[in-house]
Amino acid sequence: MKTTNCLTLLISTLAALSCASGERASAPVAVASSGDLTVYHAYAPASPAPDVASLYFTVVNDGEAADTLLTITSPAGEATLHNVVTQDGIARMTPVEALPIPPHGLARLAPGGYHVMFSNLVRPLNLGDTIAVELALASGTMLRFPVPVLSYTEVVKRLDQGEPSRR
Amino acid sequence: MPLSVGGALSTLPARGRFLRALAGLAVLSGSVACNPNAQPKPGELRGILLPDPLPKIDFTLANTAGEPFAFRQQTDGYVTLLFFGFTYCPDICPVHMANLAAVLRKLPLRTANRVKVVMVSVDPDRDTPERLRTWLNAFDPSFVGLRGPIEQVNEIQRALNLPPAIKQQTSEDDYTVGHAAQIIAFTGDNRAHVVYPSGTRQADWAHDLPLLVEADWPAQ
């Protein structure tokens, strides 16, 4: 009985510890803000191919009015907004012209869904690099922020920890 | 069955041969040590169970060194994770590969050594052997990259009940490839009972791979 209690205590302590470190690891970092819009979770995985890369971020809208993400610009390369759509067993990338950001809602770019694809990279995105990114929205708002280049190991670790759904 | 691993050794360089021999020993010792009745129960695996298991088909494509790779023979005895992807793929393919690489690094060697990851290119025109090798090395140098004429690759996909890849023009001088995004997991019985869709996380792989390695489905 005593052993069981000790074990329970140990397990719950470990669980609490691991939760705490998990929260710290995925703590939201606002990288840019303008009006009611805030950008979180911006990162680009280091490119395994010299000329192709992707970029992910989340835009949160705290306002009453809807907005729309129209274009993404970066000196790193040609940036296009894509979504992954699976139909009849085939996953394909479809270009997205405009991504709505509902009032009190968000637009989330994450692996397996919406993402920015860089083509014609000026140079490969290397671990530790920082690239500049600018978002243009239908409201006229511009959001400019630095994006860290992370290893894919770090990217999939974050996926496993589960990025917070809001911020 | 592990003895047939030796059959594929003759074409490998000496160092590779030694490592493969070690891996072969791991297969042998593993199959002796494991529970002979370790057939995963329905619901125990996190992958998607196939109603009809797929046979491990026999095909030969070139590996990234340009040598013929006889799929069934050279993966015999291993849990073989087969994926159809391409290096210009910015999202699904690298995430699948990164998840597998990260999990295999964390699993005990006796489990990880019994898993082979094989990616067949659905974009052989742009995926040169060198490009495919560099791309795979970014995740794990042991991952096998295969390429061949797209007609043959599509035939292989059809034989595995996968829709063939679709080339899609994105601009006048650029294209992308639509492709099946699941990873097929072949087990020691030379069949695949389970597949893993895009969105499979490390925790799922870490849960299932040891079970697949120890699985003992009756051989066909």
Side-chain angles (χ1 to χ4, degrees):
Chain A
M1 194 62 196
K2 204 170 181 181
T3 322
T4 319
N5 283 341
C6 276
L7 261 179
T8 314
L9 182 66
L10 180 67
I11 289 166
S12 51
T13 311
L14 281 176
L17 278 174
S18 64
C19 279
S21 64
E23 270 164 31
R24 222 179 5 253
S26 58
V29 183
V31 291
S33 182
S34 177
D36 292 322
L37 299 179
T38 311
V39 181
Y40 292 94
H41 303 299
Y43 61 92
S47 36
D51 41 12
V52 185
S54 53
L55 162 70
Y56 305 98
F57 53 82
T58 299
V59 186
V60 172
N61 183 356
D62 280 320
E64 302 294 332
D67 210 335
T68 306
L69 174 59
L70 294 179
T71 56
I72 299 115
T73 317
S74 170
E78 202 181 308
T80 339
L81 185 58
H82 281 159
N83 194 10
V84 176
V85 178
T86 303
Q87 201 179 7
D88 301 328
I90 296 268
R92 56 176 105 198
M93 293 189 304
T94 52
V96 176
E97 295 296 326
L99 181 61
I101 313 170
H104 298 291
L106 55 81
R108 182 163 186 248
L109 282 68
Y114 290 108
H115 59 273
V116 174
M117 178 178 174
F118 283 121
S119 46
N120 304 318
L121 274 181
V122 175
R123 60 186 185 89
L125 299 188
N126 293 314
L127 180 63
D129 287 354
T130 302
I131 56 171
V133 169
E134 191 176 72
L135 310 183
L137 294 113
S139 61
T141 302
M142 303 289 263
L143 290 158
R144 198 187 172 106
F145 50 93
V147 174
V149 177
L150 307 179
S151 68
Y152 256 109
T153 307
E154 178 61 28
V155 170
V156 293
K157 197 170 106 193
R158 288 181 180 208
L159 281 178
D160 239 33
Q161 287 169 347
E163 286 174 325
S165 61
R166 189 164 157 80
R167 54 181 74 181
Chain B
M1 190 200 341
L3 285 178
S4 62
V5 174
L9 293 180
S10 52
T11 55
L12 293 166
R15 190 170 160 271
R17 205 178 304 157
F18 174 69
L19 290 174
R20 297 304 149 108
L22 275 184
L25 277 179
V27 171
L28 274 175
S29 54
S31 49
V32 171
C34 82
N35 176 355
N37 298 314
Q39 186 175 331
K41 294 171 195 70
E44 198 180 347
L45 291 169
R46 295 190 187 171
I48 299 170
L49 273 182
L50 298 170
D52 299 309
L54 289 166
K56 193 185 218 177
I57 56 167
D58 200 6
F59 64 84
T60 300
L61 291 170
N63 67 15
T64 51
E67 296 158 350
F69 186 92
F71 177 72
R72 187 172 160 124
Q73 187 192 356
Q74 287 180 253
T75 61
D76 194 22
Y78 291 88
V79 165
T80 308
L81 306 174
L82 178 65
F83 177 60
F84 294 83
F86 65 120
T87 69
Y88 279 86
C89 168
D91 188 84
I92 286 177
C93 314
V95 170
H96 258 329
M97 293 298 113
N99 274 326
L100 284 174
V103 168
L104 289 171
R105 275 196 297 270
K106 280 182 249 170
L107 284 177
L109 270 181
R110 69 189 152 79
T111 304
N113 281 349
R114 292 175 62 190
V115 178
K116 264 191 205 222
V117 176
V118 177
M119 183 170 104
V120 175
S121 171
V122 290
D123 187 12
D125 289 346
R126 291 188 298 189
D127 286 345
T128 61
E130 299 74 26
R131 188 180 166 95
L132 194 52
R133 187 69 266 152
T134 307
W135 191 86
L136 288 168
N137 283 355
F139 305 103
D140 188 326
S142 80
F143 288 1
V144 177
L146 299 181
R147 62 190 289 281
I150 190 65
E151 296 77 19
Q152 192 191 347
V153 171
N154 282 338
E155 212 172 285
I156 295 164
Q157 290 191 281
R158 272 191 286 264
L160 293 168
N161 284 343
L162 295 178
I166 297 173
K167 201 164 161 175
Q168 253 182 299
Q169 217 66 30
T170 49
S171 68
E172 219 166 275
D173 54 358
D174 202 5
Y175 65 89
T176 185
V177 184
H179 62 108
Q182 64 266 48
I183 293 179
I184 301 175
F186 292 98
T187 33
D189 57 332
N190 281 329
R191 287 185 300 169
H193 303 260
V194 60
V195 297
Y196 294 85
S198 165
T200 301
R201 297 289 179 237
Q202 282 185 66
D204 305 321
W205 286 117
H207 176 269
D208 278 15
L209 282 178
L211 293 172
L212 293 176
V213 163
E214 299 299 339
D216 192 28
W217 276 291
Q220 287 285 293

